Amino acid sequence: MRYADDFIITGSSKELLENEVKPCVEDFLAERGLELSKEKTRITHISEGFDFLGQNVRKYDGKLLTKPSAKNVKTFLESVREIIRVNRAVKQETLIHLLNPKIRGWANYHRHIVSKKTYVKVDYHIWRALWRWARRKHPRKSCRWVRQRYFRTQGHRHWVFATQPRGYDGTPRTLSLYSASSTRIVRYREVKADANPCDPAWDSYFAHRQGMRMLERLQGRGFPDNLWRQQQGKCPGCGQLIVEDDRWVIRPIVPFKAGGGRTVTNLKMLHSTCQRSFRIAAGKASGGDNRVPAP
Ligand SMILES: [Zn+2]
């Protein structure tokens, strides 16, 4: 597994990794004028675990769990506390606007792994820092007053750091601090074991992985799912992948009016922006005898 210049290699024994794999990697890197970092390279048993890209990977009684690494959580909390400390004089609204993207970004990064408990812990520490921030702003006021001024109950959640600033049109709207624990955990699709991002033969596979997200979204939607698979995710208009964020449409090759069926073979999924070019292409492909315009 590799990300930028960080990577993991797994092997069945320490000896294999030490005596065969490591020299192999060193040769591979040397050819490209690179070498392994002495401090950052480690051979370790999976039961002890290791940190990779801010996450800790470890087997607990044979079960592999990936969690946000202790160091990552610490760094994140420090940066949040720093924002709160520096902004002791700002309005609550401003502080929420500063913190929300940061918390959401961090929580999203970890949303594919076992993060629930860490989210709860992080929310607690942020709440504590905000409570101190609010108390310090009004040293003469009671706890009760401070609580009523800065915290609200929302549904079953108490102590939500929230305020009701007025919008541009003068109506108040609720602005709440983003809670890391409200992030939905989404299981991640594993990379095929023999996939090699340095090998151009695998380019399409890694491009396809993006499409996998799309498949996940289409799953259970029956027809579009089958259609997307049948086209290998590619748009017939431009030849590029149709991915999650794209807008897409389904169009027939032989128009329905001309007797074209609503079948996988007669329909194509394409980017909505590629509809026009596809219509022209489809018209030509049918040899000119099919002049019925596409719907
Ligand atoms: Zn397209």
Side-chain angles (χ1 to χ4, degrees):
M1 270 163 278
R2 179 192 70 102
Y3 184 84
D5 56 352
D6 276 331
F7 60 87
I8 312 168
I9 297 174
T10 59
S12 53
S13 73
K14 188 174 179 175
E15 292 67 35
L16 175 74
L17 290 168
E18 196 88 70
N19 308 329
E20 294 186 42
V21 175
K22 202 174 166 195
C24 215
V25 172
E26 280 163 345
D27 289 347
F28 174 92
L29 291 175
E31 275 173 39
R32 289 154 178 87
L34 300 164
E35 54 182 37
L36 280 178
S37 149
K38 291 270 179 298
E39 314 84 75
K40 291 177 187 164
T41 308
R42 207 155 69 89
I43 295 180
T44 177
H45 195 266
I46 190 66
S47 62
E48 284 169 36
F50 56 89
D51 286 357
F52 184 60
L53 308 176
Q55 304 184 332
N56 182 268
V57 183
R58 186 174 158 189
K59 255 186 183 175
Y60 300 82
D61 297 324
K63 194 173 183 320
L64 186 74
L65 297 179
T66 309
K67 301 173 177 182
S69 74
K71 190 166 163 256
N72 174 274
V73 175
K74 189 166 170 269
T75 311
F76 169 68
L77 280 174
E78 273 164 10
S79 69
V80 168
R81 287 191 193 109
E82 180 64 12
I83 291 176
I84 298 173
R85 198 182 62 78
V86 171
N87 292 284
R88 73 193 86 170
V90 304
K91 281 199 290 185
Q92 183 180 19
E93 186 187 340
T94 312
L95 190 57
I96 294 175
H97 281 308
L98 287 170
L99 291 175
N100 275 1
K102 205 160 169 68
I103 303 169
R104 191 178 288 119
W106 176 84
N108 277 344
Y109 178 78
H110 293 293
R111 79 185 185 282
H112 295 300
I113 59 167
V114 188
S115 306
K116 231 20 323 154
K117 275 188 189 160
T118 313
Y119 286 163
V120 173
K121 188 177 112 182
V122 157
D123 281 340
Y124 167 71
H125 283 287
I126 296 174
W127 169 81
R128 253 185 35 168
L130 288 171
W131 174 241
R132 254 176 284 143
W133 175 88
R135 290 293 319 267
R136 228 166 260 168
K137 253 173 125 67
H138 308 280
R140 285 163 207 286
K141 300 284 187 187
S142 70
C143 286
R144 197 184 145 83
W145 186 93
V146 172
R147 177 182 177 162
Q148 275 173 352
R149 167 86 192 258
Y150 292 100
F151 297 87
R152 282 154 200 266
T153 295
Q154 290 176 355
H156 57 274
R157 288 175 57 220
H158 304 288
W159 288 96
V160 179
F161 192 68
T163 179
Q164 277 198 321
R166 289 189 184 278
Y168 294 113
D169 56 354
T171 51
R173 61 201 168 84
T174 304
L175 179 68
S176 317
L177 188 80
Y178 182 79
S179 139
S181 5
S182 69
T183 312
R184 206 162 58 92
I185 304 274
V186 187
R187 284 282 150 255
Y188 201 59
R189 191 173 294 274
E190 280 170 37
V191 177
K192 269 192 205 166
D194 52 350
N196 179 359
C198 289
D199 180 351
W202 279 98
D203 276 359
S204 65
Y205 170 73
F206 281 94
H208 196 71
R209 258 174 73 76
Q210 277 185 39
M212 287 299 189
R213 299 266 182 92
M214 176 68 174
L215 255 188
E216 252 154 44
R217 213 181 78 168
L218 289 177
Q219 227 143 53
R221 289 181 61 179
F223 199 81
D225 181 2
N226 293 338
L227 206 56
W228 193 90
R229 278 171 202 273
Q230 205 232 1
Q231 296 173 205
Q232 272 115 37
K234 288 201 181 110
C235 165
C238 65
Q240 303 294 305
L241 274 179
I242 304 175
V243 294
E244 205 183 349
D245 297 329
D246 294 337
R247 295 175 72 89
W248 49 268
V249 291
I250 294 175
R251 290 287 176 263
I253 302 170
V254 179
F256 301 137
K257 282 184 203 158
R262 289 170 197 275
T263 57
V264 174
T265 48
N266 188 45
L267 294 173
K268 290 285 175 211
M269 178 190 272
L270 57 159
H271 295 117
S272 34
T273 48
C274 296
Q275 284 185 75
R276 269 201 95 74
S277 61
F278 173 70
R279 235 178 264 181
I280 296 159
K284 277 181 189 154
S286 57
D289 54 4
N290 181 5
R291 301 218 171 260
V292 185

